[in-house]
Amino acid sequence: MPCAIGAEALSVPPCQRLKKFAPFRSGKVRCVTVRASRAPSVDEQVSRRQALQGLAVLAASALVPPHALAAGKSAEVGSYLPSAGTSGFSNFQPDKSKTPALRSGVINAEDSYRFEVPSTYREVGVANIQSGNFCMPNCAEPWTEVIFADDKEGKVQLMVAPLQKLTPKANATIKDIGSIDSLVQSFGPYITGTNLEDEDVISKDILDVDGRTYYQYESYAPYGTNGTHQVARATTKGKCAFLFVSSASDKQWPKGEKHLRQALESFRV
Protein backbone atom coordinates (compact mmCIF):
# COMPACT_ATOMS: atom_id res chain seq x y z
CA MET A 1 0.00 0.00 0.00
CA PRO A 2 1.42 3.44 -0.87
CA CYS A 3 2.26 5.91 1.87
CA ALA A 4 -0.52 8.48 1.55
CA ILE A 5 0.74 11.88 2.58
CA GLY A 6 -1.37 14.76 3.75
CA ALA A 7 -1.83 17.24 6.58
CA GLU A 8 -4.18 19.85 7.96
CA ALA A 9 -2.95 23.29 8.91
CA LEU A 10 -2.73 23.83 12.65
CA SER A 11 -1.82 27.06 14.36
CA VAL A 12 -0.25 26.47 17.74
CA PRO A 13 1.92 28.31 20.28
CA PRO A 14 5.76 28.34 20.44
CA CYS A 15 7.78 25.38 21.67
CA GLN A 16 8.96 24.74 25.18
CA ARG A 17 12.39 23.15 25.41
CA LEU A 18 12.85 19.99 27.39
CA LYS A 19 16.56 20.49 27.98
CA LYS A 20 19.33 23.01 27.44
CA PHE A 21 18.79 25.36 24.51
CA ALA A 22 16.05 27.46 22.91
CA PRO A 23 13.77 25.58 20.53
CA PHE A 24 13.37 25.91 16.79
CA ARG A 25 10.37 28.19 16.57
CA SER A 26 7.54 28.24 14.06
CA GLY A 27 4.05 29.66 14.04
CA LYS A 28 2.74 26.22 13.11
CA VAL A 29 4.75 24.26 15.63
CA ARG A 30 4.28 23.45 19.27
CA CYS A 31 6.08 21.23 21.72
CA VAL A 32 4.24 19.21 24.34
CA THR A 33 5.43 17.84 27.62
CA VAL A 34 6.90 14.36 27.48
CA ARG A 35 5.16 11.94 29.79
CA ALA A 36 6.04 8.45 30.81
CA SER A 37 4.67 5.68 28.61
CA ARG A 38 4.41 1.91 28.84
CA ALA A 39 7.79 0.27 28.56
CA PRO A 40 7.99 -1.98 25.48
CA SER A 41 8.36 -5.71 25.96
CA VAL A 42 11.69 -7.39 25.37
CA ASP A 43 10.47 -8.75 22.01
CA GLU A 44 9.30 -5.30 20.94
CA GLN A 45 12.62 -3.76 21.93
CA VAL A 46 14.57 -6.32 19.94
CA SER A 47 12.36 -5.96 16.85
CA ARG A 48 12.59 -2.19 16.84
CA ARG A 49 16.30 -2.23 17.53
CA GLN A 50 17.00 -4.64 14.68
CA ALA A 51 14.93 -2.61 12.25
CA LEU A 52 16.45 0.73 13.15
CA GLN A 53 20.01 -0.56 13.32
CA GLY A 54 19.70 -0.74 9.54
CA LEU A 55 19.54 3.05 9.56
CA ALA A 56 22.99 3.23 11.13
CA VAL A 57 24.48 1.11 8.37
CA LEU A 58 23.06 3.40 5.71
CA ALA A 59 24.11 6.49 7.61
CA ALA A 60 27.72 5.35 7.75
CA SER A 61 27.72 4.53 4.03
CA ALA A 62 26.18 7.92 3.16
CA LEU A 63 29.05 10.01 4.51
CA VAL A 64 30.16 12.72 2.09
CA PRO A 65 33.84 13.65 2.45
CA PRO A 66 34.68 17.15 1.18
CA HIS A 67 37.18 15.78 -1.35
CA ALA A 68 34.48 13.56 -2.85
CA LEU A 69 32.22 16.53 -3.42
CA ALA A 70 35.05 18.49 -4.97
CA ALA A 71 35.96 15.64 -7.29
CA GLY A 72 32.56 15.22 -8.95
CA LYS A 73 30.16 18.04 -8.14
CA SER A 74 26.64 18.20 -9.48
CA ALA A 75 24.97 21.55 -10.17
CA GLU A 76 23.89 23.79 -7.31
CA VAL A 77 20.21 23.17 -6.61
CA GLY A 78 19.45 26.86 -7.01
CA SER A 79 20.17 26.50 -10.73
CA TYR A 80 17.28 24.10 -11.33
CA LEU A 81 14.94 23.91 -8.31
CA PRO A 82 12.23 26.56 -7.78
CA SER A 83 12.92 29.27 -5.26
CA ALA A 84 11.44 28.75 -1.80
CA GLY A 85 9.74 31.38 0.32
CA THR A 86 12.93 31.65 2.39
CA SER A 87 15.69 33.76 0.88
CA GLY A 88 18.66 31.69 -0.28
CA PHE A 89 16.69 28.42 -0.34
CA SER A 90 15.16 26.26 -3.05
CA ASN A 91 12.08 24.10 -2.68
CA PHE A 92 12.52 20.35 -3.11
CA GLN A 93 9.47 18.19 -3.72
CA PRO A 94 10.26 15.08 -5.78
CA ASP A 95 8.30 13.93 -8.81
CA LYS A 96 7.19 10.34 -9.29
CA SER A 97 10.36 9.34 -11.15
CA LYS A 98 12.83 10.69 -8.59
CA THR A 99 13.44 7.64 -6.38
CA PRO A 100 12.67 3.89 -6.41
CA ALA A 101 10.14 4.34 -3.59
CA LEU A 102 8.26 6.98 -5.60
CA ARG A 103 8.44 5.05 -8.86
CA SER A 104 7.08 1.90 -7.21
CA GLY A 105 4.27 3.74 -5.40
CA VAL A 106 5.54 2.91 -1.91
CA ILE A 107 5.52 6.67 -1.32
CA ASN A 108 2.59 8.47 -2.94
CA ALA A 109 4.18 10.64 -5.61
CA GLU A 110 1.09 12.84 -5.84
CA ASP A 111 1.44 13.99 -2.25
CA SER A 112 4.92 13.13 -0.95
CA TYR A 113 7.47 14.87 1.27
CA ARG A 114 9.00 18.29 0.80
CA PHE A 115 11.66 20.52 2.33
CA GLU A 116 13.81 23.54 1.57
CA VAL A 117 17.45 23.15 0.50
CA PRO A 118 20.06 25.93 0.63
CA SER A 119 20.44 27.03 -2.98
CA THR A 120 24.21 26.47 -2.98
CA TYR A 121 23.91 22.80 -1.96
CA ARG A 122 24.36 20.00 -4.47
CA GLU A 123 22.60 16.68 -4.71
CA VAL A 124 24.71 13.64 -3.84
CA GLY A 125 23.93 10.41 -5.66
CA VAL A 126 22.50 7.57 -3.57
CA ALA A 127 24.05 4.16 -4.20
CA ASN A 128 21.75 1.49 -5.60
CA ILE A 129 21.98 -0.62 -2.44
CA GLN A 130 21.08 2.38 -0.27
CA SER A 131 18.16 3.52 -2.42
CA GLY A 132 16.15 0.31 -2.15
CA ASN A 133 16.08 -0.01 -5.93
CA PHE A 134 16.75 -3.74 -5.73
CA CYS A 135 13.86 -4.53 -3.38
CA MET A 136 11.00 -2.12 -4.17
CA PRO A 137 8.10 -2.30 -3.59
CA ASN A 138 8.70 -4.89 -0.87
CA CYS A 139 11.77 -3.60 0.93
CA ALA A 140 12.07 -4.95 4.45
CA GLU A 141 14.89 -2.59 5.46
CA PRO A 142 15.28 1.22 5.53
CA TRP A 143 16.52 3.11 2.49
CA THR A 144 17.90 6.56 1.68
CA GLU A 145 15.68 8.81 -0.41
CA VAL A 146 17.88 11.84 -1.09
CA ILE A 147 21.05 13.58 0.10
CA PHE A 148 22.09 17.21 -0.44
CA ALA A 149 25.43 18.56 0.75
CA ASP A 150 27.87 21.43 0.80
CA ASP A 151 31.49 20.71 1.65
CA LYS A 152 31.72 23.92 3.68
CA GLU A 153 28.40 23.62 5.55
CA GLY A 154 27.34 19.99 6.00
CA LYS A 155 24.51 17.90 4.59
CA VAL A 156 20.82 17.02 4.82
CA GLN A 157 19.39 13.61 4.08
CA LEU A 158 16.11 11.75 4.28
CA MET A 159 15.73 8.12 5.30
CA VAL A 160 12.54 6.06 5.09
CA ALA A 161 11.78 2.75 6.80
CA PRO A 162 8.89 0.30 6.38
CA LEU A 163 6.61 0.86 9.34
CA GLN A 164 5.83 -2.83 9.66
CA LYS A 165 9.39 -3.39 10.87
CA LEU A 166 8.76 -1.07 13.80
CA THR A 167 5.22 -1.93 14.86
CA PRO A 168 2.42 -4.31 13.83
CA LYS A 169 -0.13 -1.51 14.15
CA ALA A 170 -1.47 -0.19 10.86
CA ASN A 171 -1.12 3.55 10.20
CA ALA A 172 0.76 3.97 13.46
CA THR A 173 1.86 7.40 14.65
CA ILE A 174 5.36 8.06 15.91
CA LYS A 175 3.94 7.91 19.44
CA ASP A 176 2.58 4.41 18.76
CA ILE A 177 6.11 3.20 17.98
CA GLY A 178 7.56 4.50 21.23
CA SER A 179 8.21 7.50 23.45
CA ILE A 180 10.62 10.24 22.47
CA ASP A 181 13.03 8.92 25.12
CA SER A 182 12.87 5.29 24.04
CA LEU A 183 13.33 6.04 20.34
CA VAL A 184 16.34 8.31 20.73
CA GLN A 185 18.49 5.23 21.26
CA SER A 186 16.95 3.52 18.21
CA PHE A 187 17.40 6.52 15.93
CA GLY A 188 20.67 7.59 17.56
CA PRO A 189 23.05 5.39 15.55
CA TYR A 190 21.64 6.77 12.33
CA ILE A 191 21.69 10.38 13.51
CA THR A 192 25.37 10.24 14.48
CA GLY A 193 26.62 7.45 12.21
CA THR A 194 27.85 5.50 15.23
CA ASN A 195 25.92 5.63 18.50
CA LEU A 196 24.38 8.29 20.71
CA GLU A 197 25.01 8.58 24.44
CA ASP A 198 22.39 10.18 26.69
CA GLU A 199 24.78 12.94 27.73
CA ASP A 200 25.29 13.91 24.08
CA VAL A 201 21.59 14.70 23.56
CA ILE A 202 21.20 18.46 23.85
CA SER A 203 17.42 18.55 23.47
CA LYS A 204 14.33 16.49 22.68
CA ASP A 205 11.06 18.00 21.52
CA ILE A 206 7.65 16.66 20.58
CA LEU A 207 6.33 18.90 17.80
CA ASP A 208 2.88 19.26 16.30
CA VAL A 209 3.43 20.49 12.72
CA ASP A 210 0.38 20.94 10.51
CA GLY A 211 -1.46 18.36 12.62
CA ARG A 212 1.28 15.71 12.48
CA THR A 213 3.50 14.63 15.38
CA TYR A 214 7.28 14.78 14.95
CA TYR A 215 10.04 13.83 17.38
CA GLN A 216 12.94 16.26 17.17
CA TYR A 217 16.44 15.69 18.51
CA GLU A 218 19.53 17.84 18.72
CA SER A 219 22.84 16.28 19.66
CA TYR A 220 26.55 16.89 19.82
CA ALA A 221 28.53 13.69 19.35
CA PRO A 222 32.31 14.27 19.20
CA TYR A 223 32.81 10.69 18.03
CA GLY A 224 30.07 10.81 15.37
CA THR A 225 31.00 9.85 11.83
CA ASN A 226 27.97 11.70 10.46
CA GLY A 227 29.34 15.02 11.65
CA THR A 228 29.62 16.09 15.26
CA HIS A 229 26.54 18.34 15.21
CA GLN A 230 23.14 16.87 14.37
CA VAL A 231 19.53 18.02 14.32
CA ALA A 232 16.87 15.50 13.30
CA ARG A 233 13.12 14.95 12.98
CA ALA A 234 11.21 11.69 12.82
CA THR A 235 7.57 11.01 11.98
CA THR A 236 5.30 8.44 10.33
CA LYS A 237 2.67 8.40 7.62
CA GLY A 238 0.71 5.46 6.26
CA LYS A 239 3.09 2.49 6.24
CA CYS A 240 6.30 4.52 6.30
CA ALA A 241 8.53 6.05 8.96
CA PHE A 242 10.57 9.12 7.92
CA LEU A 243 13.79 10.44 9.48
CA PHE A 244 15.28 13.73 8.27
CA VAL A 245 18.76 14.64 9.50
CA SER A 246 20.87 17.78 9.14
CA SER A 247 24.48 17.32 10.21
CA ALA A 248 27.87 19.04 10.13
CA SER A 249 31.39 18.77 11.46
CA ASP A 250 32.83 21.21 14.01
CA LYS A 251 34.47 23.08 11.13
CA GLN A 252 31.26 23.23 9.07
CA TRP A 253 28.79 24.05 11.87
CA PRO A 254 29.52 27.80 12.36
CA LYS A 255 28.85 28.48 8.68
CA GLY A 256 26.14 25.90 8.09
CA GLU A 257 24.09 25.89 11.31
CA LYS A 258 21.47 28.43 10.23
CA HIS A 259 20.91 26.73 6.88
CA LEU A 260 20.80 23.24 8.38
CA ARG A 261 18.23 24.26 10.99
CA GLN A 262 16.04 25.93 8.39
CA ALA A 263 16.12 22.85 6.17
CA LEU A 264 15.04 20.73 9.13
CA GLU A 265 12.22 23.08 10.10
CA SER A 266 10.88 23.08 6.56
CA PHE A 267 10.59 19.28 6.36
CA ARG A 268 7.00 18.04 5.90
CA VAL A 269 5.30 14.78 4.96
Side-chain angles (χ1 to χ4, degrees):
M1 180 183 296
C3 297
I5 313 290
E8 297 179 357
L10 181 65
S11 179
V12 291
C15 304
Q16 293 181 351
R17 178 65 61 173
L18 297 176
K19 288 196 176 182
K20 301 177 183 176
F21 298 109
F24 310 146
R25 298 186 181 277
S26 167
K28 294 184 179 180
V29 179
R30 67 173 180 178
C31 299
V32 298
T33 303
V34 177
R35 295 184 171 84
S37 60
R38 177 187 66 81
S41 68
V42 173
D43 288 342
E44 288 174 327
Q45 291 180 33
V46 171
S47 176
R48 293 169 187 169
R49 189 179 304 115
Q50 289 174 337
L52 287 162
Q53 277 175 345
L55 296 174
V57 174
L58 291 178
S61 61
L63 299 179
V64 186
H67 68 270
L69 290 175
K73 289 184 175 180
S74 59
E76 293 183 353
V77 299
S79 67
Y80 60 90
L81 289 180
S83 178
T86 306
S87 177
F89 282 78
S90 299
N91 187 58
F92 176 74
Q93 185 165 7
D95 60 32
K96 63 182 180 180
S97 65
K98 180 63 179 175
T99 71
L102 289 161
R103 291 194 294 270
S104 66
V106 171
I107 297 176
N108 182 1
E110 299 301 320
D111 192 11
S112 62
Y113 52 84
R114 68 186 188 278
F115 54 89
E116 296 177 1
V117 185
S119 297
T120 58
Y121 280 39
R122 303 169 190 269
E123 184 170 4
V124 178
V126 179
N128 189 62
I129 193 170
Q130 292 175 253
S131 70
N133 188 48
F134 65 96
C135 59
M136 291 295 171
N138 300 308
C139 291
E141 301 300 330
W143 63 90
T144 300
E145 278 289 290
V146 289
I147 305 172
F148 295 94
D150 183 299
D151 56 356
K152 290 182 172 55
E153 293 195 3
K155 69 176 177 179
V156 299
Q157 57 183 315
L158 175 63
M159 285 282 299
V160 182
L163 199 55
Q164 64 182 0
K165 295 290 289 185
L166 308 177
T167 176
K169 183 176 181 179
N171 299 309
T173 67
I174 192 73
K175 290 182 178 180
D176 292 327
I177 299 175
S179 70
I180 192 170
D181 291 312
S182 67
L183 288 185
V184 70
Q185 292 305 320
S186 296
F187 289 128
Y190 167 72
I191 293 171
T192 66
T194 51
N195 64 316
L196 185 61
E197 303 295 336
D198 288 341
E199 58 266 27
D200 296 328
V201 179
I202 295 172
S203 63
K204 292 177 287 187
D205 293 310
I206 299 177
L207 311 177
D208 191 322
V209 184
D210 296 339
R212 186 170 306 284
T213 300
Y214 293 74
Y215 286 172
Q216 179 166 293
Y217 303 97
E218 180 172 356
S219 55
Y220 178 75
Y223 46 80
T225 59
N226 192 27
T228 51
H229 297 264
Q230 307 91 18
V231 285
R233 281 187 182 180
T235 192
T236 64
K237 180 64 179 180
K239 290 188 174 182
C240 294
F242 297 82
L243 182 60
F244 185 93
V245 179
S246 295
S247 59
S249 66
D250 283 333
K251 184 177 180 179
Q252 294 167 327
W253 187 246
K255 180 176 175 60
E257 177 184 3
K258 183 178 180 180
H259 286 164
L260 293 169
R261 291 190 186 278
Q262 174 59 33
L264 181 82
E265 290 198 11
S266 70
F267 173 59
R268 301 287 189 277
V269 298

